Amino acid sequence: MRSIFPKSLSACSINSITDCLGNSLFISPDAVTTLCKSIFIEFIINCLSLIALKTFKVASTSVTAYRDFLKKHKINSEKINSAADFSSVPIITKENYLKQYPIKDLLLDGNTLDARVISMSSGSSGQPFFWFRGNQSIVESGALLSEIYQHSFKVRDKETLCIIAFAMGTWIAGTYILTANNYLADQQYKVVSITPGINVAEIIKILDKIG
């Protein structure tokens, strides 16, 4: 049967369990807990490495700016095939990457039509930046919030009012939450949103009349 885990993790898990069983007839709960934590951490690291490599491969072939960035740093994307290889890839920043290229060249296939909403950073570094967010970004933000909502508020079972008190202008936080909530509502989560933004008087009124 094919393992669902990366090969290195499967080998580590089996060897660790075998060693543990071989060294003692009885395994303490603490030892089992430590072993499970170690296996889980390595599993997460392996998964994140695979995601990083996949993202790198897509960007290196489909994002004009990133192809040029790699070329300038003499990086052959075809030779980056492992986490060890990936460690040689230069880190991108606002200064060395985002500010160096027109926005269209920073988008996947240069396609602005894939975006559903454009958000803007707060500009804390001195210059705000625009983020084109498509369906995949909205689905991912919905998946993240669903875990929080379900764990804390049981939104699959209880009608829940979400008062979005983040600024509802171009900054990303407010629109991020709203688009994620709308996605979750489409997935049968019992969440409805209202967007007073940072208007404290309106927030109090909403709490009084609806909350």
Side-chain angles (χ1 to χ4, degrees):
M1 182 175 68
R2 185 177 179 181
S3 172
I4 63 171
F5 302 109
K7 289 183 178 180
S8 61
L9 175 65
S10 298
C12 169
S13 304
I14 293 171
N15 290 338
S16 297
I17 293 171
T18 302
D19 290 345
C20 191
L21 290 173
N23 290 335
S24 176
L25 181 61
F26 300 102
I27 307 173
S28 71
D30 288 344
V32 173
T33 299
T34 300
L35 177 60
C36 289
K37 285 182 178 178
S38 175
I39 293 171
F40 178 72
I41 290 171
E42 184 168 351
F43 171 69
I44 294 299
I45 291 173
N46 275 271
C47 287
L48 292 177
S49 296
L50 292 174
I51 291 171
L53 283 171
K54 181 179 179 180
T55 302
F56 170 81
K57 291 295 186 181
V58 171
S60 65
T61 57
S62 302
V63 179
T64 300
Y66 198 59
R67 283 201 306 270
D68 183 69
F69 177 80
L70 294 177
K71 182 179 179 180
K72 287 179 177 178
H73 287 83
K74 296 180 172 57
I75 298 294
N76 183 348
S77 61
E78 294 182 357
K79 293 184 178 180
I80 307 299
N81 298 302
S82 68
D85 296 337
F86 192 68
S87 65
S88 66
V89 177
I91 295 173
I92 61 173
T93 66
K94 275 189 177 181
E95 297 302 326
N96 73 4
Y97 183 68
L98 296 179
K99 292 182 180 180
Q100 302 301 317
Y101 299 94
I103 288 179
K104 193 174 181 65
D105 287 351
L106 295 167
L107 302 179
L108 193 66
D109 295 319
N111 189 356
T112 59
L113 296 180
D114 280 344
R116 293 296 174 267
V117 63
I118 300 174
S119 299
M120 189 172 74
S121 67
S122 63
S124 58
S125 64
Q127 178 181 333
F129 194 79
F130 294 96
W131 306 99
F132 286 65
R133 299 180 57 238
N135 284 334
Q136 182 177 346
S137 172
I138 293 170
V139 169
E140 289 172 352
S141 60
L144 175 63
L145 288 184
S146 70
E147 295 294 326
I148 299 171
Y149 287 173
Q150 183 60 20
H151 181 270
S152 301
F153 307 109
K154 309 299 181 189
V155 294
R156 281 193 176 277
D157 309 307
K158 299 178 181 179
E159 293 183 3
T160 304
L161 173 66
C162 179
I163 302 173
I164 301 176
F166 290 113
M168 290 304 300
T170 54
W171 288 5
I172 191 170
T175 52
Y176 179 94
I177 299 296
L178 179 61
T179 53
N181 283 359
N182 289 343
Y183 168 77
L184 291 176
D186 289 340
Q187 305 303 310
Q188 309 307 311
Y189 282 80
K190 297 179 179 180
V191 59
V192 61
S193 304
I194 188 166
T195 57
I198 58 176
N199 189 321
V200 177
E202 285 194 6
I203 294 170
I204 294 172
K205 185 187 299 182
I206 291 166
L207 288 170
D208 181 51
K209 300 297 184 180
I210 304 178

